[in-house]
Amino acid sequence: MKKILPLFSYILHPIFISMYATLFYLYCKEDIFTNREKYYVLFQILIITVLVPTLFFMLLRSTGHVKSVMVHETSQRQIPLLLQCFLYILLVKRSIVIARYPELHFFFLGALFSTIVALILTLFKIKASLHMMAISGLALFVIGLNIHLKMQNPYWTALVVLLTGIVASSRLEMEAHTNKELIIGLLTGILPQILFLFLWL
């Protein structure tokens, strides 16, 4: 189990959470969008939230500004988090607009606020678990969408709660975070999503 747990830190890395949220959203509302539109949305999310940050990370790593894909040091998180803020703003302003994708729009808006909070915390030398921030935000989105669309499927809720626990265990197993940092990350991910949940639930 100790060998398996660290894998979840990579599978459920914050960089992939936006794709998972989008896939779940399109799955739940599959009758509303054409296949062409689904591919178009996924392609945009892939480029903006996965490819661009990955290329930027490689640039930062080559210049010595970042040492690891997990970005352990608080001071090294500021530039990637700032970039993430700009990318989320691009998404909610240009791509995932409220008129067409209301629930997903508010998810990314919540993610933007979580990222801003995490960025502010780094200025005070406070380290929040970005893994917990991302997975807890996804969990709230899945639970909220389950309620909003009246899917009445308890398995999705059980799955995201389980995954949140696994990610927390994974980060502890890798000695990447303390319990306090995990809790800060959890609250940073949950609270903005709850705030925006009331606008679309």
Side-chain angles (χ1 to χ4, degrees):
M1 191 64 181
K2 289 185 177 181
K3 293 181 179 180
I4 296 174
L5 275 176
L7 291 175
F8 286 92
S9 285
Y10 294 95
I11 297 171
L12 297 172
H13 191 280
I15 203 172
F16 300 127
I17 295 300
S18 294
M19 280 295 294
Y20 297 151
T22 305
L23 283 167
F24 181 74
Y25 176 75
L26 294 176
Y27 166 77
C28 292
K29 303 189 78 173
E30 59 179 345
D31 297 334
I32 297 177
F33 308 114
T34 63
N35 287 334
R36 183 177 180 179
E37 185 174 3
K38 290 176 187 176
Y39 294 138
Y40 178 69
V41 170
L42 286 172
F43 186 64
Q44 288 183 87
I45 301 298
L46 177 66
I47 291 176
I48 296 174
T49 68
V50 180
L51 295 183
V52 171
T54 299
L55 292 173
F56 195 72
F57 164 77
M58 292 170 67
L59 176 63
L60 290 175
R61 190 169 186 177
S62 66
T63 56
H65 287 87
V66 172
K67 296 178 181 178
S68 166
V69 69
M70 295 299 174
V71 196
H72 297 296
E73 295 182 27
T74 308
S75 60
Q76 295 180 358
R77 294 178 166 209
Q78 293 175 0
I79 297 176
L81 286 173
L82 192 59
L83 172 69
Q84 197 65 38
C85 287
F86 283 115
L87 292 175
Y88 280 141
I89 290 171
L90 178 64
L91 274 177
V92 297
K93 281 283 188 179
R94 299 294 181 185
S95 300
I96 310 302
V97 293
I98 191 171
R100 184 59 177 160
Y101 316 99
E103 302 90 351
L104 195 59
H105 174 87
F106 284 116
F107 166 75
F108 282 117
L109 208 54
L112 170 61
F113 273 69
S114 293
T115 307
I116 291 172
V117 171
L119 179 60
I120 293 171
L121 289 175
T122 63
L123 301 177
F124 295 95
K125 310 296 183 183
I126 299 173
K127 184 180 179 183
S129 171
L130 300 182
H131 278 76
M132 286 304 292
M133 182 182 83
I135 193 66
S136 62
L138 175 64
L140 255 293
F141 178 64
V142 169
I143 293 169
L145 205 57
N146 201 5
I147 296 170
H148 179 62
L149 299 178
K150 299 178 181 178
M151 296 166 61
Q152 298 179 344
N153 188 340
Y155 298 110
W156 287 117
T157 300
L159 176 62
V160 290
V161 170
L162 176 64
L163 290 176
T164 303
I166 289 174
V167 168
S169 300
S170 174
R171 302 311 286 156
L172 288 173
E173 179 62 32
M174 295 178 72
E175 298 181 354
H177 292 288
T178 62
N179 288 327
K180 180 182 177 181
E181 291 166 353
L182 291 176
I183 292 171
I184 292 172
L186 182 71
L187 293 175
T188 304
I190 284 178
L191 294 179
Q193 291 295 337
I194 290 176
L195 177 66
F196 290 108
L197 201 64
F198 290 106
L199 297 178
W200 61 269
L201 192 59

